[in-house]
């Protein structure tokens, strides 16, 4: 049920962050900050509309940051944040959603569980809810560098956004408070006598304010991790005159049985790539008996896995394949197999290893009933 709209205020100048471009449009790990901020709201099932409030002088930056996104036209902000919020709320009058979340463009780390907690507070009867954090340090009231008193920190909390309200209530409260210079929307709600709940905020939900914050966000959103995937596969021999291994046709007095060209080398490679991406197995992507894959070159399976990797922003660092069989003898084909795998993956052969081994005459491979393969691949993937 999409009963909630979001107002994102992005009309500030970002002066404290510096950097030439207003902070909400700064490139952070390959995307503008605003695009990171929008993502959790656009993906949430209860959010029906996201209304942006911008500075019209920055509309080109806004267009570039939100290209391809399904958003209503932005409205112009005011001279302070409160004025910008009111403009966003007024723009939602035709829609009049049940709830509205008011959020700073400069906070890109909202989680879906934070959105859930805030909406749950409204569902439970509160007319407003904000994320709040406990004070962990002792708090002093100071003037001119001298302490006047020590405050009871148990009654103090740090307010974050998104601040969430029943739409009709907060619209009326903001209209009544226009020009009063209140610092957040909860203060506007308090002035109107609304009861606002404080739900658990998140330390990670920081507001990008200074140049140092921009650097920390770049490190957090650009973080990548290494993943290792493994693959295993077996194909039985059948009548034929060659086997396909790692994309190379190798003459033999038998072929390999299978839906595609039964290239056990490429199958284990793809299996390991799917493993590192947590994308299930070969059977999920290429169902056995599916006519689409009948007789297809296994190189096409590799292209599908490479596409999946590209869409996730992943990079293949290394692939190590082992082919297990008694015959055909493979040693002289190893360099060609390695070159071919590197070509299909679009990486240098120095990142690929192809090993061959027999099983000393033991087991199905030793008896010459088929060929087995194993693979390990290492991928570098974004943490987010
Ligand atoms: N904001 C706004 N309209 C204004 C001022 C601020 O929409 N007239 C927005 C900012 O874009 C930001 C949020 O309110 O997303 C919080 O404000 P702040 O962190 O102070 O951002 P800026 O005002 O842009 O930064 P600075 O004060 O350093 O210039
Ligand atoms: Mg400001």
């Amino acid at each position: 049920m999409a009963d909630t709209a979001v107002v994102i205020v992005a009309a500030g100048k970002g002066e404290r962050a510096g950097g030439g471009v207003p902070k909400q449009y700064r490139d952070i790990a390959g995307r503008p900050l605003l695009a990171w901020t929008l993502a959790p709201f656009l993906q949430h099932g209860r959010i029906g509309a996201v209304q942006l409030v911008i500075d019209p002088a920055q509309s080109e930056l806004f267009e570039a940051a939100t290209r391809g996104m399904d958003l209503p036209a932005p409205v112009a902000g005011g001279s302070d944040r409160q004025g910008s919020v009111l403009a966003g709320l007024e723009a939602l009058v035709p829609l009049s959603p049940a709830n509205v979340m008011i959020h700073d463009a400069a906070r890109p780390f909202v989680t879906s569980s934070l959105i859930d907690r805030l909406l749950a507070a409204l569902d439970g009867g509160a007319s407003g809810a904000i994320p709040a954090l406990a004070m962990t340090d002792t708090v002093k009231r100071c003037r001119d560098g001298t302490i006047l008193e020590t405050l009871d920190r148990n009654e103090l909390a740090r307010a974050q956004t998104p601040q969430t309200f029943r739409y009709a209530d907060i619209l009326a409260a903001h209209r009544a408070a226009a020009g009063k210079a209140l610092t957040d929307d909860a203060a506007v709600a308090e002035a109107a006598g609304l009861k606002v709940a404080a739900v658990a905020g998140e330390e990670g939900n920081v507001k990008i304010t200074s140049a140092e914050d921009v650097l920390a966000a770049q490190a957090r959103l650009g973080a990548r991790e290494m993943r290792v995937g493994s693959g295993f596969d077996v194909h039985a021999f059948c009548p034929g005159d060659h086997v396909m291994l790692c994309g190379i046709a190798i003459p033999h007095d038998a072929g390999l049985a299978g839906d595609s060209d039964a290239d056990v080398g490429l199958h284990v490679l793809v299996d390991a790539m799917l493993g590192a991406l947590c994308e299930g197995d070969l059977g999920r992507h290429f169902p056995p008996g599916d006519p689409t894959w009948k007789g297809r070159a296994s190189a096409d399976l590799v292209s599908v896995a490479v596409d999946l990797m590209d869409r996730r922003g992943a990079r293949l660092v290394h692939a190590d394949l082992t082919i297990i069989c008694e015959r055909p003898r493979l040693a002289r084909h190893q360099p060609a197999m390695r070159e071919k795998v590197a070509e299909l993956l679009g990486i240098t052969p120095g990142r690929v290893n192809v090993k061959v081994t027999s099983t000393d005459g033991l087991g199905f491979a030793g008896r010459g009933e088929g060929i087995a393969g194993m693979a390990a691949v290492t991928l570098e993937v974004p943490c987010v």
Side-chain angles (χ1 to χ4, degrees), residues 87-347:
L89 293 172
E90 295 287 2
L92 287 173
V93 167
L95 190 67
S96 286
N99 311 318
V100 64
M101 309 190 98
I102 301 169
H103 185 59
D104 293 333
R107 287 187 196 264
F109 297 110
V110 169
T111 60
S112 62
S113 51
L114 178 57
I115 295 175
D116 289 343
R117 279 201 297 284
L118 291 160
L119 290 175
L122 259 61
D123 293 344
S127 40
I130 71 163
L133 289 172
M135 304 291 298
T136 48
D137 298 317
T138 297
V139 187
K140 309 285 186 189
R141 202 161 66 76
C142 308
R143 190 177 301 148
D144 301 330
T146 304
I147 294 167
L148 300 179
E149 63 172 326
T150 300
L151 302 175
D152 178 3
R153 71 175 177 211
N154 294 318
E155 287 195 347
L156 298 174
R158 291 174 286 150
Q160 302 183 319
T161 74
Q163 301 195 344
T164 305
F165 305 91
R166 303 210 173 284
Y167 172 69
D169 292 348
I170 196 69
L171 175 63
H174 256 284
R175 281 176 176 165
K180 281 194 186 149
L182 298 169
T183 52
D184 74 349
D185 307 294
V188 170
E190 290 152 36
L194 298 173
K195 244 197 166 58
V196 181
V199 310
E202 294 180 3
E203 289 290 353
N205 179 28
V206 292
K207 180 162 75 75
I208 310 298
T209 303
S210 64
E212 202 180 11
D213 296 337
V214 173
L215 288 178
Q218 271 161 345
R220 240 174 109 182
L221 293 168
R224 295 170 73 84
E225 63 191 15
M226 305 306 282
R227 300 264 194 95
V228 174
S230 71
F232 177 72
D233 195 19
V234 176
H235 282 273
F237 284 124
C238 65
D241 59 8
H242 73 281
V243 294
M244 290 299 294
L245 285 175
C246 299
I248 304 291
I250 296 168
H252 188 47
D253 54 16
L256 285 174
D259 265 355
S260 62
D261 60 8
D263 186 328
V264 69
L266 295 186
H267 289 190
V268 292
L269 172 68
V270 172
D271 207 33
M273 290 164 76
L274 295 176
L277 293 169
C278 293
E279 280 281 353
D281 55 19
L282 277 174
R284 186 170 118 198
H285 291 266
F286 316 102
D290 180 345
T292 332
W293 297 104
K294 183 98 196 136
R296 290 274 288 275
S298 296
D300 294 346
L301 277 56
V302 180
S303 316
V304 171
V306 168
D307 270 359
L308 269 174
M309 233 174 50
D310 289 347
R311 265 184 274 142
R312 289 273 293 275
R315 187 176 74 89
L316 197 143
V317 176
H318 172 242
D320 183 23
L321 313 186
T322 305
I323 309 292
I324 305 160
C325 65
E326 213 69 33
R327 291 183 56 246
R329 307 308 291 175
L330 296 175
R332 69 191 171 87
H333 299 288
Q334 267 171 287
M337 288 157 72
R338 179 188 194 203
E339 295 272 341
K340 187 69 185 177
V341 168
E343 179 195 319
L344 293 172
L345 293 172
I347 58 179

Side-chain angles (χ1 to χ4, degrees), residues 9-16 23 78-81 84 104-106 207:
V9 284
K13 304 222 175 320
E15 273 164 355
R16 284 169 291 175
K23 62 186 177 185
S79 57
D80 60 9
R81 183 187 182 279
S84 294
D104 293 333
K207 180 162 75 75

